[in-house]
Amino acid sequence: MMTGQNIDSLIGGYRSLTGKAPIMPKWAYGFWQSKEHYNSQKRS
């Protein structure tokens, strides 16, 4: 069991046990587009 004074200390303890999480490179995220942002004026 891990304890801490606040959420930051809990996350810090978890990171010290599990190691740093790798961040994906930008190219790995791909193209993201939402259809909700492209309504015509007639549909709005």
Side-chain angles (χ1 to χ4, degrees):
M1 177 182 232
M2 290 187 341
T3 60
Q5 297 297 321
N6 55 35
I7 192 70
D8 289 334
S9 63
L10 287 173
I11 292 172
Y14 183 78
R15 274 184 79 179
S16 68
L17 290 174
T18 61
K20 218 174 165 181
I23 297 177
M24 295 190 321
K26 286 184 180 182
W27 62 264
Y29 286 101
F31 179 71
W32 288 46
Q33 180 176 0
S34 173
K35 67 178 182 177
E36 298 301 322
H37 292 268
Y38 297 99
N39 289 336
S40 67
Q41 288 183 348
K42 291 180 183 178
R43 295 178 111 193
S44 296

